[in-house]
Amino acid sequence: LRGLYLEAERLGDRNAARHYAGRAAAVAPQLAWAAESTLEELTERGDWDGALKLVEGQKSTRQIERDAANRRRAVLLTAKAQALVDSDPNAARTAALEANKLAPDFAPAAVIAADLVIRQNDVRKGAKILEAAWKAEPHPDIAELYTHARPGDAVLDRLNRARKLQELKRNHAESSMAVARAALDAQDFATARREAEAAIRMDRREGAYLLLADIEEAETGDQGKVRQLLSKAVRAPRDPAWVADGVISERWAPVSPVTGKLDAFTWRAPMERLGQLIDSETDAAVPAITAAPPAAAPAEKAIDIVADAPVEKPLPANGGEKDAAVTEDVSEAETAGRGSELPPLPDDPGVAPEEEAEKSPRRFRLF
C-alpha cells in the first residue's frame, strides 16, 4: 500500500493516493504517513467526527505529542461547532466549549463558544470565556462580541465594557482600538481620537488611520484632513488577518484552501506592500538624500527632437556682416536637406572629418 500510495502521488492522482492511505491506516493506525493523508481527506470532506477519532488514535499510539493532539482536537471541534451552529445548536455548544477548554487562547474557539452561550442567555459565562481569551491574546473579534454581548445596551455601556477589556490588557494596540471604536459610537470624539493615536504609537497600521479618518469626518467634516489620513492609511502596514499558504481571509478556516493542511491559518500581518512609502514628517525620520540625476527613460518612451528648425543665434558685436554669413550658412543647410547637421558655432572646435563620418546624425533626447 505504501508503494501504491507513492506511485499515485507521483502521478498526481490524489484520490487514489488517499484511498491507499486510508486502507493502510485501517490496517496499521500507527503509520504516520497513512494517518496524515487520511486526516487531510476527512477534513476536506467535512467528516469532523472521523477526523477526531483519527487524532485520538494518533495520540494513543504516540504518533504526536499530547499538546499537539489537544491543539488538533480544538481545531476540529471548532470546525464541527461552526458546521452545527444552525442545524444543532446544542451539539455545537458542546463541541465549542470542549474546544475552548482544550485551547483557551484559541480565539476562534472562544468566540464561537461565547457566542453560543450568549445566545442561550448566559451572558456572564460568555463574558468569562471572552475575558480569558483576551488576556491570552487580544483579537478584534473578541472585542466586537464582548462589547455587543447585550443587544439592548446603550452606547455608553458598550464604551464601559471596552474600557474593561483595556484594563485586562493594558498597553496593547487592540485594547486602544476597541475603546476608540466604542467611543466613536458614543460620539466621545476626544476619547476616540486619543485612543486611536495611542494605537498608532504602539502599532502603526492601516486600520488605525482609517479609524482616525472616520473620527475626523464625524467630528469636523474636514475633507482635507480626512484625505490626508486616508493617504497615510495606504502607506501604513496592513492590519493582521488570517493567512495560510499565501491566502488572506477575514474569517478563520480549519484547513488551508491550497494544500488542505489542518490548522494552517495563523493570525498575523500579511506581507507588506511593494514600494511602501513612509511619511517623513509625521511617521518616521528619513535621512536627507542627495539629489541624483534623473534615471534614463525607457527607449520606447523617449522623444527624439531633430534640429530641423532654424536656430536663433545671437547677434555678433561687429554688426551685420557675420550675421549675414551665419544666415547664409543656415539657408544652405536647409536646402541640403532636413535632419542634416548644422554648422558648428564659432566657439565649437568641431570634430575631425573621419570622426564625423562615423557618427550618426545628432539627436536630442527629452526625458
Side-chain angles (χ1 to χ4, degrees):
L1 289 173
R2 170 69 169 170
L4 292 172
Y5 169 81
L6 293 175
E7 184 66 15
E9 285 284 339
R10 187 182 67 82
L11 296 175
D13 191 346
R14 296 185 65 185
N15 293 330
R18 288 178 175 178
H19 169 72
Y20 295 129
R23 289 180 58 186
V27 175
Q30 71 276 9
L31 295 176
W33 64 270
E36 292 296 327
S37 180
T38 306
L39 183 63
E40 290 183 5
E41 180 187 7
L42 293 173
T43 54
E44 186 176 350
R45 292 204 316 253
D47 186 359
W48 309 117
D49 290 330
L52 286 167
K53 184 179 179 180
L54 181 58
V55 170
E56 192 64 29
Q58 288 181 312
K59 180 181 177 181
S60 61
T61 56
R62 297 185 179 180
Q63 296 180 35
I64 55 178
E65 298 295 332
R66 179 180 178 181
D67 294 341
N70 289 340
R71 173 71 182 193
R72 286 190 174 187
R73 284 185 57 82
V75 172
L76 292 171
L77 287 168
T78 304
K80 179 181 178 180
Q82 288 181 346
L84 297 176
V85 165
D86 297 326
S87 60
D88 193 350
N90 291 327
R93 172 181 172 173
T94 302
L97 289 175
E98 185 179 354
N100 179 248
K101 185 178 179 180
L102 290 171
D105 59 340
F106 186 42
V111 169
I112 191 170
D115 186 27
L116 291 169
V117 168
I118 291 171
R119 289 185 186 184
Q120 297 180 358
N121 298 324
D122 195 350
V123 179
R124 180 175 296 181
K125 184 175 182 179
K128 289 183 179 179
I129 293 173
L130 294 174
E131 288 172 2
W134 183 266
K135 288 180 182 178
E137 184 61 35
H139 193 279
D141 292 344
I142 298 176
E144 179 69 17
L145 181 59
Y146 188 83
T147 53
H148 294 81
R150 295 187 179 92
D153 283 352
V155 289
L156 292 178
D157 295 332
R158 292 201 292 268
L159 177 57
N160 292 330
R161 293 178 69 85
R163 284 173 173 165
K164 186 176 181 180
L165 281 180
Q166 189 179 34
E167 292 176 359
L168 295 175
K169 195 74 173 181
R170 294 185 177 275
N171 298 325
H172 197 283
E174 287 296 343
S175 298
S176 297
M177 292 285 288
V179 175
R181 294 190 189 99
L184 176 59
D185 293 338
Q187 295 187 357
D188 186 353
F189 299 118
T191 301
R193 188 184 298 275
R194 182 177 65 252
E195 294 297 336
E197 291 174 351
I200 291 175
R201 288 193 297 271
M202 288 182 283
D203 184 10
R204 179 177 171 271
R205 64 190 192 189
E206 180 182 11
Y209 284 111
L210 293 177
L211 182 58
L212 266 179
D214 292 338
I215 296 169
E216 189 68 41
E217 186 172 11
E219 183 180 11
T220 65
D222 190 339
Q223 295 301 315
K225 291 183 179 179
V226 171
R227 285 193 296 270
Q228 183 182 12
L229 291 169
L230 293 177
S231 66
K232 290 182 180 181
V234 174
R235 298 185 181 96
R238 302 179 65 177
D239 289 331
W242 292 109
V243 183
D245 299 321
V247 177
I248 303 173
S249 175
E250 294 183 357
R251 298 184 60 187
W252 174 84
V255 296
S256 168
V258 179
T259 61
K261 182 182 177 182
L262 182 67
D263 194 20
F265 278 95
T266 57
W267 181 255
R268 61 181 177 84
M271 295 180 62
E272 300 296 336
R273 299 182 180 92
L274 295 178
Q276 190 179 73
L277 301 178
I278 298 177
D279 193 342
S280 59
E281 295 182 358
T282 58
D283 298 329
V286 179
I289 301 175
T290 305
E300 63 273 15
K301 293 186 178 181
I303 303 175
D304 294 336
I305 301 177
V306 182
D308 54 357
V311 180
E312 295 183 4
K313 300 183 182 298
L315 289 174
N318 59 353
E321 295 179 1
K322 290 186 178 181
D323 180 68
V326 172
T327 305
E328 184 179 355
D329 292 340
V330 173
S331 301
E332 291 177 2
E334 289 180 351
T335 56
R338 292 186 176 273
S340 60
E341 283 193 26
L342 295 176
L345 296 176
D347 59 347
D348 186 0
V351 295
E354 57 274 10
E355 295 179 4
E356 185 178 4
E358 292 177 1
K359 291 185 178 180
S360 60
R362 185 186 298 262
R363 291 176 180 268
F364 299 92
R365 175 165 295 174
L366 178 63
F367 296 106

